[in-house]
Amino acid sequence: MKIALDVMGGDFAPQNPIGGVKLALESLPAITKLFLVGDPAAIEKELKAQGVSSPKLEIVPASQVVDMADSGLDAVRKKKDSSISVAVNLVKDGKAEAVVSAGHTGAAVTASLIKLRTLTHIERPAIASIMPSLTKHWVLIDAGANPDSEPAHLVQNAIMGSAFARHVLGRDNPTVGLMSNGTEEEKGNALCKETSKLLRHTAGINFIGNVEGHDVWDTPPDVVVCDGFTGNVILKNAEALAHSIFSMVKSEIKSSFWTKIGGLLAKPAFKRVHTRTNPDEVGGMPLLGLRGITIIAHGSASPFAMKNAIRQACESIQHQVGPHIEAAATAHSISLHARS
Amino acid sequence: MKIALDVMGGDFAPQNPIGGVKLALESLPAITKLFLVGDPAAIEKELKAQGVSSPKLEIVPASQVVDMADSGLDAVRKKKDSSISVAVNLVKDGKAEAVVSAGHTGAAVTASLIKLRTLTHIERPAIASIMPSLTKHWVLIDAGANPDSEPAHLVQNAIMGSAFARHVLGRDNPTVGLMSNGTEEEKGNALCKETSKLLRHTAGINFIGNVEGHDVWDTPPDVVVCDGFTGNVILKNAEALAHSIFSMVKSEIKSSFWTKIGGLLAKPAFKRVHTRTNPDEVGGMPLLGLRGITIIAHGSASPFAMKNAIRQACESIQHQVGPHIEAAATAHSISLHARS
């Protein structure tokens, strides 16, 4: 498998992306080529510092870096030689099978959208995030690609999320819920209410209705659909809240001798919960709906998270969910025309 | 203080509201009158079952109950003798100083909006929820009153939230953040971007810009502004996620002898974290922006949470934040006209 990595993207670039490369080379034998895209001098220096070298690595120069303050569109239009643009071009040109970036999400989405283009009958790409819960993993879609979504986009998110849950997570006839502010049908904002009506009549979607907090963190459906703004807010709040709760527990445990002893004994239990809820374990989120594979990693991704994002890229190359999405979206479009 | 309680509202009515009354009578001496609104037979039966009796209690009959499947507006229009409508009327008629309900939020909001009406220069009421974090409490506004908000509503939320943070939480020059999918100014959906522009020019608001998950759960501003859909999603997801993490920890701790012992020793630490994050401790959320006090309790509120919601009503009566909101909203309106 050939993967392009945006080495300059992320809060801790190029250290953490190169740290991820090191771990990936050790644990992902399916990789035959890793294109390291960015400033050659910075990359070579970091490879040397971390003692990484492999014939599988190839440095591809890119002279610009997208700044977090750039808008996604501006970043792609004005910085044609940015690491993310050059990395996506490698996929577009068939040299790489997937691109991984921990950089500016908007720029990664826009570059992928413009260069790779959407699948037939998909208007907007969406980020699929694999989320934990008490009982099973679920897919949050859209986790941040398209902040101003329309009802048709959310229906397409349902189609993409279902295909992903079926073909990647192995869920048979995956259930789909619509994130809302109440489970009753008449709850929701205008976008929700309109989407709910559409999803009730979308062939091939096992729609179970509106869902809210306790549904998704306890016994979630396989797929939870929302707009990219709401999804990103859910994702970031969940990560931060989980982190804060662990910090509170840690500090309270340190407050007395006996709780400290208790904390030491219970540590393996905490560790298992931490592993179950740690976003670094998943590492990357596929951007679905495009004619090519883009994996979005967290801006603050650790080397471990970057390695897992590269692993996600390998899995995406293996599963090739794109054609399944296109088939489902086409079937939906035909059924729409048959009804109208 | 005279408070009207919607005894028929909530998932566990009338037991939990009456359970809350029992605790409130024991711990809130400021209460001089508690109007118990609902089906007199059911209320009397429950009072007897729980051994509650006091000269401060007065049953006010209401023949209807709002169903969770009703829309808020329908509930108020078609069920004129519902417990929430009758309870709000007691405030409207000056017999009670505040109303508390754990029933249908939309119905409580709509009944309060129609009967109590908004303050001058406030177009929509908003629910203010006091939230925990690693460092301090913060105000989430709107936590669910107005799911389809416009930028002007969010500015009003900032004004209301600031007045609440200042006069109820005692924060001097409270900081205000706008919930978004990124901290950079150009991040956000269309609503966010437009609101951000307005907030930068709103006199009297200490606007610090966009905030995201790690800001609010770690070192939050005093007030976080969002639309009622996003706020409700954040609130419910946070409650549910915290609950799921505690459940995971519990079940992992039970998995071996030593972690079980550790869990027992560390229990006081967990208890303190649970207390810090337990929404029942806050109990109720004031609906701000109206000419009267409405406290929204959680549908699944325990007797302890109901008591705390009644305590919130007492505190709201004491603080009288309404006139402060009106003064700030009026000053804002004058500054708008002066600029245009």
Side-chain angles (χ1 to χ4, degrees):
Chain A
M1 292 174 179
K2 296 170 192 163
I3 295 166
L5 180 67
D6 169 12
V7 181
M8 311 314 280
D11 306 341
F12 308 103
Q15 303 94 305
N16 289 7
I18 295 295
V21 166
K22 187 175 183 180
L23 297 172
L25 289 171
E26 288 163 10
S27 63
L28 299 167
I31 295 173
T32 54
K33 177 71 86 182
L34 251 178
F35 296 100
L36 306 181
V37 185
D39 171 12
I43 294 173
E44 270 162 19
K45 192 179 157 198
E46 194 58 38
L47 286 172
K48 211 173 160 188
Q50 298 196 32
V52 188
S53 103
S54 161
K56 294 179 179 176
L57 301 181
E58 181 177 334
I59 295 173
V60 179
S63 62
Q64 294 171 302
V65 176
V66 172
D67 191 65
M68 285 311 281
D70 292 332
S71 89
L73 194 57
D74 273 3
V76 178
R77 274 195 192 145
K78 294 182 186 162
K79 293 186 173 171
K80 295 209 183 296
D81 200 42
S82 72
S83 54
I84 181 65
S85 278
V86 173
V88 174
N89 276 338
L90 290 171
V91 176
K92 185 187 167 195
D93 298 342
K95 289 177 186 157
E97 295 161 276
V99 57
V100 176
S101 177
H104 189 304
T105 302
V109 170
T110 308
S112 303
L113 175 60
I114 292 176
K115 293 169 193 291
L116 305 179
R117 289 184 304 149
T118 56
L119 297 164
T120 309
H121 301 303
I122 295 292
E123 290 166 63
R124 300 281 178 93
I127 296 173
S129 180
I130 300 173
M131 307 289 286
S133 82
L134 257 185
T135 48
K136 67 174 180 186
H137 283 95
W138 52 284
V139 181
L140 175 69
I141 185 168
D142 172 17
N146 187 16
D148 287 295
S149 308
E150 289 168 24
H153 303 150
L154 266 63
V155 170
Q156 289 162 25
N157 290 354
I159 290 169
M160 295 193 279
S162 289
F164 185 82
R166 194 186 300 268
H167 297 284
V168 178
L169 302 185
R171 304 284 164 83
D172 197 35
N173 195 21
T175 48
V176 175
L178 178 65
M179 179 56 73
S180 186
N181 58 339
T183 52
E184 299 82 8
E185 199 177 331
E186 81 291 344
K187 287 280 175 76
N189 56 10
L191 173 64
C192 252
K193 287 177 189 168
E194 186 55 33
T195 303
S196 176
K197 273 186 221 158
L198 295 176
L199 282 175
R200 276 166 219 287
H201 299 102
T202 304
I205 295 297
N206 186 6
F207 183 53
I208 61 156
N210 289 354
V211 293
E212 51 176 39
H214 68 90
D215 299 304
V216 302
W217 301 105
D218 195 352
T219 51
D222 296 303
V223 179
V224 174
V225 166
C226 58
D227 65 275
F229 180 81
T230 303
N232 197 264
V233 165
I234 291 171
L235 179 74
K236 285 181 175 160
N237 273 277
E239 284 179 12
L241 175 59
H243 186 264
S244 283
I245 289 176
F246 287 125
S247 297
M248 278 187 209
V249 168
K250 240 185 221 169
S251 100
E252 290 290 357
I253 274 176
K254 279 183 188 157
S255 69
S256 91
F257 176 75
W258 289 109
T259 54
K260 229 185 268 182
I261 299 291
L264 278 174
L265 289 171
K267 204 170 182 180
F270 290 129
K271 239 185 161 167
R272 286 193 295 271
V273 176
H274 186 256
T275 302
R276 275 170 75 179
T277 57
N278 183 7
D280 283 4
E281 293 282 339
V282 175
M285 305 179 289
L287 181 66
L288 300 181
L290 299 175
R291 304 184 180 280
I293 296 166
T294 297
I295 303 292
I296 310 281
H298 205 297
S300 64
S302 64
F304 174 69
M306 286 305 300
K307 183 267 287 178
N308 286 332
I310 297 170
R311 196 200 66 226
Q312 284 280 336
C314 294
E315 289 174 6
S316 292
I317 294 168
Q318 183 195 333
H319 290 294
Q320 292 294 339
V321 78
H324 296 295
I325 289 174
E326 195 157 49
T330 302
H332 169 60
S333 171
I334 290 168
S335 81
L336 269 188
H337 284 99
R339 278 202 290 137
S340 65
Chain B
M1 291 175 180
K2 296 171 191 166
I3 295 166
L5 180 67
D6 169 13
V7 181
M8 312 313 280
D11 305 342
F12 307 102
Q15 303 93 304
N16 288 8
I18 295 295
V21 166
K22 189 176 180 179
L23 297 172
L25 289 171
E26 289 163 10
S27 62
L28 300 168
I31 295 174
T32 53
K33 177 70 87 182
L34 251 179
F35 295 101
L36 307 180
V37 186
D39 171 13
I43 294 173
E44 271 162 16
K45 194 181 157 198
E46 195 57 39
L47 286 171
K48 211 173 162 189
Q50 297 196 33
V52 187
S53 106
S54 161
K56 295 178 179 176
L57 300 181
E58 181 176 335
I59 295 173
V60 178
S63 62
Q64 293 172 305
V65 176
V66 172
D67 192 62
M68 285 311 281
D70 293 331
S71 87
L73 193 58
D74 273 4
V76 178
R77 273 196 193 144
K78 293 180 185 162
K79 292 185 172 172
K80 295 210 182 293
D81 200 40
S82 71
S83 54
I84 181 64
S85 279
V86 173
V88 175
N89 277 338
L90 290 170
V91 176
K92 184 186 166 194
D93 298 342
K95 288 176 186 159
E97 295 161 277
V99 56
V100 176
S101 176
H104 190 303
T105 301
V109 170
T110 309
S112 302
L113 174 60
I114 292 177
K115 293 170 194 293
L116 305 179
R117 290 183 305 149
T118 55
L119 296 164
T120 308
H121 300 301
I122 295 293
E123 290 167 63
R124 299 282 178 91
I127 295 173
S129 181
I130 300 174
M131 308 288 286
S133 83
L134 257 185
T135 49
K136 65 174 181 185
H137 283 96
W138 51 284
V139 182
L140 175 69
I141 183 167
D142 174 16
N146 187 16
D148 287 295
S149 308
E150 291 169 25
H153 303 148
L154 266 64
V155 171
Q156 290 161 25
N157 291 353
I159 291 169
M160 295 193 280
S162 288
F164 185 81
R166 193 186 299 267
H167 297 284
V168 179
L169 301 185
R171 304 283 165 82
D172 197 36
N173 194 21
T175 49
V176 175
L178 178 65
M179 179 57 74
S180 187
N181 58 339
T183 53
E184 298 82 9
E185 197 176 333
E186 81 291 344
K187 288 280 175 75
N189 56 11
L191 173 64
C192 252
K193 286 177 191 168
E194 186 55 33
T195 303
S196 176
K197 272 187 224 159
L198 295 177
L199 283 175
R200 275 167 220 288
H201 299 103
T202 304
I205 295 297
N206 186 5
F207 183 54
I208 60 157
N210 289 354
V211 292
E212 51 176 39
H214 68 91
D215 299 303
V216 303
W217 301 105
D218 195 349
T219 50
D222 296 303
V223 179
V224 175
V225 166
C226 59
D227 66 275
F229 180 81
T230 303
N232 197 265
V233 165
I234 291 171
L235 180 74
K236 285 180 174 160
N237 274 277
E239 284 179 13
L241 174 59
H243 186 264
S244 284
I245 289 177
F246 287 124
S247 297
M248 278 186 207
V249 169
K250 241 185 220 170
S251 100
E252 291 291 358
I253 274 177
K254 280 184 187 157
S255 70
S256 91
F257 175 74
W258 289 110
T259 53
K260 229 186 269 182
I261 299 291
L264 279 173
L265 289 171
K267 205 171 183 178
F270 290 129
K271 239 184 162 167
R272 284 192 295 270
V273 176
H274 186 257
T275 302
R276 276 170 76 180
T277 57
N278 182 7
D280 283 4
E281 293 281 340
V282 175
M285 305 179 288
L287 181 65
L288 300 181
L290 299 176
R291 303 182 181 280
I293 296 165
T294 297
I295 304 292
I296 309 281
H298 206 295
S300 64
S302 64
F304 174 69
M306 286 305 299
K307 183 267 287 178
N308 286 333
I310 297 170
R311 194 201 66 225
Q312 285 280 337
C314 294
E315 289 173 7
S316 292
I317 294 168
Q318 184 197 331
H319 288 114
Q320 292 295 340
V321 79
H324 296 294
I325 290 174
E326 196 157 46
T330 302
H332 169 59
S333 172
I334 290 168
S335 81
L336 269 189
H337 284 98
R339 278 201 291 136
S340 66

